[in-house]
Amino acid sequence: MYKIEDMRRNGILVSSIGVTSLFCLALTSALPATAVPAAPEAAAAAAHGAAARGTARSAVPGTTQSLPLVPLDDTRLRGRGAGAVRELGLRRTRVRPFSLLGVVWDDPRAQLHGSAQVRTRSAATGAWSDWQDLETHHAGHGPDPSGAARADGPVHGGTAPLWVGDSDAVEVRVRAASAPARGAAKPGRDTGLPLPAGLRLELVDPGAPVLTAGAAPADDGASASDPAEAANAALAPPGTTVIPPADREQTERELSALRATDPQLDRSAEPRIGPRPGIVTRHGWGADESLRESGFGYTKRIEAVFVHHTATGNAYTCAQAPSVVRSIYRYHAKSMGWRDIGYNFLIDPCGTIYEGRAGGVARPVLGAHTLGFNSDTVGVAVIGTYTTARPSSAAVDAVARLAAWKLGLYGADPRGHTYLTSGGGNLHQKGKKVRLHVISGHRDGFATECPGGRLYGELGTIRTAAARHQGR
């Protein structure tokens, strides 16, 4: 259902990954001033402003700190092994600056039955946040259980990442849930469920990339040979930061040209395709291409769109969105062990669309977003958490415009249904043919809260708008 094209890039410098050892967990004293780099959000904002003026700034590499969680009490879960504990975490710990965090563990098949909460200290004000919950049921995001579609290294289980802004200290607690009652519990016996092995806190600093203004090619000496940028060559030259929107006539001409090179594209006499929206490229949001696996994975065609939310919280601005995307990318690629960022596209509240997984925005790139249904689909994530918060109208419209264009490449009607074969999950068994909306929510393919009740409730509006953009 997919293929891997090996397009290796030479001469890429791998940015360092900051790893903090277990011995650092007890340190609570302030780090020396020379050990604390510039605030990543401030650097990113400065780079963003420089890009708007048509100038470039030096890159500040992102980093990941990995902190093993330790027992917070001595209460062992009797009869469940020497390593099982009721609560793991970290007391208040000073760390290098970071902006996004998540908890990961060794086995991607293991579930965290319990809760995970964090508090962080603002690097700007020194104030501690309230306790915040991490979304622990995140297994539905990720690559299908197929070796070639995964990264070369180990894949891990993990919570959804949470954007907390520029922070320099953290406190975390992960508590096991109680086991279901089975008759009368014996006095003194602990009935907690075991926590996954290898629990650790991942702290991500997104860094600040080299950015250049507008859609003009960047003169940075590397763009022309970058496979991720070459994959978009049919739409924009290397170094492009934003693929500009196209009107209907231009989009239809573009489709005719793409058909000549991609045999999977629909060849109907009368194309039904929405005008191509503007898309911020990976170069535009500052992707460090050395983090992802070499080569690109492709599926056969696009038959459906799965809509997601990133569950990273809503405490960010549109100006910070590129930093959030870089953080999610680093969390997916380095902390979770995926090939690349999982989503094919991401959208912020201002309606800006960002290229996600590398391989070309007009091509059927195999993502890691809906476990069991990554083949022949595209994953679109609205950045934020939309369980109770309402998504912006700009974001909803952007999903519709993107879906109208992407589905139109393959002749799919946004108001229709399609049949997809499940690759296995907690809602549909492997091999089952499932009837789904052409524009579906993540929860339609996997038992999950994603994309949140408020965003899920907008899918009808998105389908209607996408069909209208296609001229249906």
Side-chain angles (χ1 to χ4, degrees):
M1 297 297 290
Y2 58 85
K3 58 182 178 179
I4 302 294
E5 294 188 2
D6 188 10
M7 301 176 66
R8 299 182 182 276
R9 175 183 178 186
N10 296 322
I12 299 177
L13 295 177
V14 180
S15 62
S16 62
I17 306 298
V19 179
T20 305
S21 69
L22 180 61
F23 299 104
C24 294
L25 302 181
L27 296 178
T28 57
S29 60
L31 295 176
T34 55
V36 182
E41 287 184 55
H48 180 79
R53 295 188 298 272
T55 61
R57 291 180 60 89
S58 298
V60 177
T63 59
T64 301
Q65 301 171 73
S66 186
L67 310 179
L69 303 188
V70 299
L72 294 181
D73 59 35
D74 295 328
T75 304
R76 301 281 172 172
L77 298 178
R78 298 178 179 86
R80 295 187 180 274
V85 293
R86 182 198 302 267
E87 185 175 23
L88 292 172
L90 296 173
R91 305 295 183 188
R92 293 189 177 188
T93 305
R94 177 76 185 271
V95 294
R96 295 192 305 276
F98 68 96
S99 295
L100 178 139
L101 56 77
V103 172
V104 302
W105 51 89
D106 293 341
D107 187 354
R109 298 167 298 180
Q111 297 292 312
L112 199 170
H113 298 290
S115 63
Q117 295 182 310
V118 295
R119 297 179 65 199
T120 57
R121 187 175 67 183
S122 168
T125 68
W128 281 88
S129 71
D130 294 333
W131 285 103
Q132 300 183 76
D133 293 320
L134 298 180
E135 173 55 63
T136 58
H137 302 294
H138 199 57
H141 299 77
D144 289 339
S146 174
R150 291 172 176 258
D152 292 338
V155 178
H156 304 298
T159 68
L162 179 68
W163 176 264
V164 294
D166 190 20
S167 305
D168 61 9
V170 66
E171 184 175 8
V172 58
R173 59 192 184 197
V174 178
R175 291 173 174 170
S178 298
R182 295 183 179 179
K186 296 181 179 180
R189 182 176 179 82
D190 200 317
T191 59
L193 291 169
L195 292 171
L199 282 168
R200 53 199 177 275
L201 181 68
E202 300 283 292
L203 304 175
V204 176
D205 171 6
V210 171
L211 294 177
T212 53
D219 185 16
D220 59 13
S223 299
S225 61
D226 190 335
E229 296 189 47
N232 287 320
L235 303 181
T240 296
T241 57
V242 179
I243 300 172
D247 60 23
R248 180 176 299 280
E249 182 179 352
Q250 180 183 349
T251 302
E252 291 179 356
R253 288 199 307 267
E254 197 171 80
L255 175 58
S256 297
L258 290 170
R259 285 174 175 173
T261 59
D262 191 340
Q264 302 299 334
L265 293 181
D266 180 64
R267 283 172 164 74
S268 61
E270 183 183 0
R272 292 281 192 172
I273 185 170
R276 175 172 49 75
I279 301 170
V280 177
T281 64
R282 290 171 65 90
H283 182 68
W285 54 260
D288 178 353
E289 299 297 350
S290 69
L291 297 180
R292 64 175 176 83
E293 294 286 313
S294 61
F296 308 131
Y298 295 103
T299 187
K300 289 184 177 180
R301 53 184 291 112
I302 299 300
E303 297 186 17
V305 171
F306 278 104
V307 178
H308 302 259
H309 67 172
T310 59
T312 46
N314 304 314
Y316 74 98
T317 66
C318 292
Q320 292 173 315
S323 294
V324 180
V325 175
R326 289 197 305 278
S327 297
I328 295 172
Y329 169 42
R330 179 172 279 274
Y331 185 76
H332 284 180
K334 303 303 294 185
S335 301
M336 299 295 290
W338 300 352
R339 291 186 59 85
D340 193 346
I341 193 170
Y343 308 113
N344 297 105
F345 298 92
L346 300 94
I347 296 173
D348 69 23
C350 292
T352 303
I353 301 170
Y354 301 86
E355 177 185 12
R357 181 161 286 212
V361 296
R363 301 199 62 188
V365 177
L366 179 69
H369 49 83
T370 306
L371 188 68
F373 292 100
N374 287 310
S375 294
D376 298 338
T377 67
V378 60
V380 179
V382 180
I383 305 170
T385 302
Y386 299 101
T387 305
T388 58
R390 184 176 181 178
S392 70
S393 58
V396 170
D397 179 64
V399 175
R401 288 185 290 110
L402 177 61
W405 172 68
K406 191 70 177 179
L407 292 171
L409 291 170
Y410 300 87
D413 184 345
R415 301 167 302 182
H417 292 80
T418 188
Y419 283 89
L420 297 175
T421 301
S422 172
N426 64 359
L427 190 59
H428 304 290
Q429 64 183 9
K430 185 176 181 179
K432 180 181 178 181
K433 285 188 175 295
V434 183
R435 186 173 185 262
L436 293 163
H437 284 282
V438 168
I439 298 179
S440 287
H442 185 185
R443 64 177 65 178
D444 296 322
F446 196 91
T448 174
E449 288 296 314
C450 185
R454 298 301 295 271
L455 180 54
Y456 189 80
E458 298 286 347
L459 293 187
T461 299
I462 290 170
R463 295 179 190 118
T464 301
R468 184 174 64 251
H469 288 307
Q470 286 189 350
R472 296 181 185 272

